[in-house]
Every structure is written in structure tokens, then in C-alpha cells.
Amino acid sequence: MNPTPSPRAAVIVDPFSSGARYAPEFASLGVPAVAVGSLPEVPAVYADSWEPARYQRVFSFDGDLERLVAAVRPLAPRCVLAGAESGVELADRLTERLLPDQANTPALAAARRDKGAMARALRAAGVPVIPQICTDDAEAVRDWIAREGLHGRDLVVKPPRSGSTDGVTRVRAGADWRVPFDAQLGRINQWHNLNDRMVVQEYARGTEYVVDTFSHRGRHTVADVCRYGKTDNGGQMAVYERLTWTAPDDPAVPVLARYAEAVLDAVGLRNGAAHIEIMLTAAGPRLIEINSRPHGGGHPLFNLAATGDSQVRRAARWFVREEAPPRGYRLLRHMSVVFLIARVSGTVSGTGVLDGIRELPSHHHSAVGLRDGDRVEATRDLLGTLALGFAVLAHPDPAVVERDVAAVRAMEAALVVTPDPDPGRAPAAGPPPVGRGTPR
């Protein structure tokens, strides 16, 4: 009797953060997962989500694509998916070689990862974008600002191949955009990419949303739409305060969904998950960026509780059963993620107050590891926010969620952060100054 053949594996490139959810979803359908690492080592920020025991095989990419293709091909993979942002480009290249029928448009590969190429692809497709330039030439930026009439306007400076708001700086009207431009240019960012150019764009005003999608054979589906709450923190912009699931009958949802589909078509994403950040301005939706992988930070797992579905689950069902997901989503429970923020750097005390988060009526999940005596950095980006902690609140009654959001903020405000001493100032007499976590 011939042995039963092993099921064709799902190959996950950099199965970190939310990408770690692929292995259990495929396993629930009887399909093993294979991991491919695109980086020399797992980044520290992803270490907690890396579980090599979940994978049938683990491969490391050493820069030789042909060798990797030869190693993976005998497994007859059913799909190749990017788990984290760092794996997007390698997943595209492997799919093109191993499963060309599933490949996203090869000629537009750069537009699925590089923000400069992304904007060019949208403009070529006639999709409205935020005015911007991507270059390493400061003189070109100066000429562009004059040509676009942006003197005296707020600007944003950011690397084209970073993520999690790393290096994103708001330059207020009258301030010198050259300072963050020069500081970031030539730097190796936290995703191991060289900032060989910088994006400078007009600061877009409006309400920021994220549209999470799964696409198959060019058919796009929306797994959820969420609204961001962000704040400035000192000189840093885009510090996350809150993420709130948006009901599908909200008037903004069809507008955002249509724009998201146009973005997906413009960058040639035909198969796989995408995380699309969009500013809904007075002139209509405008792309902030598209990430060709699942929404990070464990979002797909939370989305299961909010909607009963997720990008990751849709992917597993499609690639195993060819089960086509619905075009939209339902909202079963109102849900918000509340991110803790440190307004100053220093030593924290009074952390026992945060124990109350778990007692809230809408508490669904929380990740808060602060202890008295811990040193905290002033929150500058998403990774800094996640280092402090967050709470996921869910309830059928939106009023309960809102009350509990306010309760979390009150707990945060009760934290005491003793700021670091100013090295240029003599010590003051008496007790050290006290800084509150989030003054209101």
C-alpha cells in the first residue's frame, strides 16, 4: 500500500507578529506550515511571537534565491505568504518562482513595499494621493516645496522602506524639514533597511482609518475597517492612542473600501493579505501606505472576536479549500484597543493601578508588563507604545466600551513618572519632579 502523501505545506516568510497566526489556522485545516526567515536573526521586537516548533521545516534565506527555491520546491507548497513586513519582498519573489499563477504583478513589486514607488503606481493608475516627493536630494525637495506651494505648510518626513512609524516626523509650519531629512538619510532603520532616500509629503488632515483586506485572484475582500486615534507626543507625531472597529454600515466604510480596492489594483496585489492605512480628508480618501501582509500586533486574533473572521482565517480557507470569503464583514461586538503612552522618559511608579484594567466589564485582553521601578522611554512610535502595553476592550454595548476607555486613561494618568534628570542642569533641592503618564 502506498503511504498517504503529506499535505502540501503553506510557506510563511517571517512568520512573526500576526504572521504567527498562519500556522495554527492552517493546522486547524490539517495543513502544515513551513517557515522561511528573510533576516539573519529574528528581530527582538518579534521574539515573543516566534515559535519554531509550529513549523514542519524552517529555512533561512542567505541571499541566494536559487538555493532557497531549490530547497522549498520539493515540498510542493500550496502558497507563499508574508507574515511580517520584512518578508514581503522575499514572499513575492518565491511566489513568482514557485507558484506563478498566484503571483502578484511582478513589475509592481516595489510599489508593494516602497512608499515612493507606491505613490508613483497610484498616480499612474489615476488614484488620488497625498502630494509628495521621494529622493535623497535636498535641493530637489526644496524645489518641489516651492513648485507645490507648500511653503508655510506642515510637512511629513519619513523613510520609504520602514514601518511601525519608525522615523516618521511631522514638521510644523516654519520648522526646518532638513533636520529630520538629514538625520534619517543614510541610517539603517529598525527593519534592517538603509534609508537611501526620504519621503517628504504634505501633512494630510482628516480621520485616519485602516482597511484590512484579503485578495484572491484579483478579487478583493474587506475583513475589517478600523479608525485610528493618534496624537503628538512632544516632537513625535503618529503616536497611537486608540484603534476602534468601525461598523460596516458607517457611511465611511464603502468610500474607504472602494478606494482600498483601487489601491490594491494600482500596486498589483492580487493574492494575499494587506493592511491599508488611509486618511479620509475633506477632498476624499488618500493613501498613507499599504503593507502587503496582515495587520500586525495580534490584530487578526482580536478581529475574530469582533467580527468572527480575519484576514489570516480567510487566507487559510482559500488556499486549502478555495472557500471564497465574503466581500465585507459583520461587527459582532464593539471593540477598541487602548494604547498606553508615556509623555516623558523616566522611572515609573504607582503601576498597581493598572491591575484594574482586568476588572473592567469590557476587558477582552491586555498586555501590560509595567512594574514599579521600571524605566520608560517617552513614547515615540508604535513599537514604543507596544512596549508600555495596551488593553483590548470589547462589548455588545458601545457605551460600555467608551466608559472603560475613559477608565483606562484615568489609570494611566495616575501613573507617576519621575523624569530623567537634565544632564545640563544642577540637581534641584527637594524631591524629584513628577511627570504624569497622560495629563488630561
Side-chain angles (χ1 to χ4, degrees):
M1 180 180 293
N2 293 327
T4 302
S6 298
R8 297 167 58 205
V11 176
I12 315 301
V13 182
D14 291 351
F16 316 136
S17 184
S18 293
R21 295 301 310 165
Y22 277 124
E25 286 288 357
F26 278 104
S28 72
L29 299 175
V31 171
V34 167
V36 174
S38 75
L39 303 172
E41 58 185 22
V42 178
V45 69
Y46 289 147
D48 288 348
S49 63
W50 170 231
E51 300 180 72
R54 286 188 178 274
Y55 302 93
Q56 185 183 62
R57 298 280 300 277
V58 176
F59 297 94
S60 295
F61 179 51
D62 61 3
D64 187 334
L65 182 63
E66 294 307 317
R67 186 183 323 189
L68 181 60
V69 168
V72 175
R73 192 187 298 278
L75 301 177
R78 65 177 61 241
C79 59
V80 179
L81 303 171
E85 189 67 19
S86 55
V88 167
E89 289 161 299
L90 182 56
D92 260 351
R93 295 170 71 191
L94 284 175
T95 304
E96 187 180 349
R97 292 297 304 279
L98 297 169
L99 297 160
D101 289 347
Q102 294 181 17
N104 295 314
T105 306
L108 291 167
R112 294 188 289 275
R113 182 69 179 89
D114 183 288
K115 297 177 181 66
M118 205 175 284
R120 290 194 298 273
L122 264 64
R123 284 195 293 267
V127 180
V129 296
I130 300 169
Q132 64 184 264
I133 185 173
C134 182
T135 181
D136 62 355
D137 185 350
E139 292 302 319
V141 175
R142 184 176 289 107
D143 292 344
W144 173 81
I145 290 173
R147 188 166 60 250
E148 294 290 326
L150 294 176
H151 281 300
R153 304 283 290 275
D154 287 5
L155 301 171
V156 173
V157 178
K158 60 185 179 182
R161 287 165 53 82
S162 187
S164 300
T165 66
D166 176 38
V168 179
T169 305
R170 177 180 178 180
V171 181
R172 295 188 181 275
D176 187 358
W177 58 267
R178 284 290 301 266
V179 174
F181 185 92
D182 291 341
Q184 293 290 333
L185 189 64
R187 169 178 169 260
I188 301 294
N189 62 44
Q190 64 189 12
W191 307 112
H192 301 269
N193 291 311
L194 173 68
N195 294 339
D196 58 348
R197 295 155 296 125
M198 294 296 292
V199 171
V200 180
Q201 63 182 196
E202 183 179 8
Y203 177 78
R205 289 177 167 81
T207 302
E208 186 176 350
Y209 291 87
V210 59
V211 180
D212 293 317
T213 62
F214 174 70
S215 302
H216 56 95
R217 297 177 183 164
R219 181 180 184 270
H220 309 305
T221 72
V222 176
D224 65 274
V225 175
C226 294
R227 184 177 68 253
Y228 279 133
K230 294 183 180 179
T231 186
D232 289 356
N233 194 22
Q236 304 299 319
M237 65 165 286
V239 171
Y240 289 75
E241 282 190 307
R242 184 175 175 184
L243 179 74
T244 302
W245 271 250
T246 305
D249 59 357
D250 187 294
V253 169
V255 175
L256 295 163
R258 285 193 297 271
Y259 183 82
E261 290 187 6
V263 169
L264 290 164
D265 288 339
V267 303
L269 198 154
R270 296 179 49 78
N271 295 285
H275 171 72
I276 310 168
E277 297 178 350
I278 300 170
M279 186 71 76
L280 189 54
T281 73
R286 297 292 184 269
L287 181 70
I288 296 173
E289 64 181 64
I290 177 173
N291 306 113
S292 303
R293 42 76 178 171
H295 189 149
H299 183 94
L301 197 58
F302 304 141
N303 202 54
L304 283 174
T307 72
D309 204 355
S310 78
Q311 299 167 284
V312 171
R313 180 159 291 181
R314 291 182 179 203
R317 289 176 174 172
W318 171 254
F319 288 112
V320 176
R321 301 174 177 168
E322 290 202 352
E323 181 181 319
R327 292 294 295 266
Y329 64 98
R330 302 172 299 160
L331 191 63
L332 305 178
R333 291 199 286 174
H334 295 275
M335 181 175 280
S336 282
V337 181
V338 184
F339 300 98
L340 299 182
I341 300 170
R343 296 291 177 177
V344 296
S345 298
T347 302
V348 66
S349 59
T351 57
V353 69
L354 298 177
D355 293 342
I357 291 175
R358 296 183 183 87
E359 305 304 319
L360 295 172
S362 67
H363 177 263
H364 175 72
H365 173 83
S366 54
V368 181
L370 286 178
R371 296 292 181 267
D372 286 2
D374 285 350
R375 188 185 180 283
V376 298
E377 294 284 347
T379 308
R380 295 179 173 85
D381 54 26
L382 177 58
L383 296 183
T385 300
L386 296 178
L388 282 175
F390 61 92
V392 183
L393 307 175
H395 199 276
D397 185 349
V400 174
V401 174
E402 291 303 315
R403 284 197 299 270
D404 288 353
V405 168
V408 173
R409 289 297 177 215
M411 296 175 203
E412 179 191 69
L415 294 173
V416 177
V417 180
T418 303
D420 294 334
D422 184 343
R425 180 181 301 173
V434 172
R436 293 290 178 178
T438 305
R440 282 287 184 263

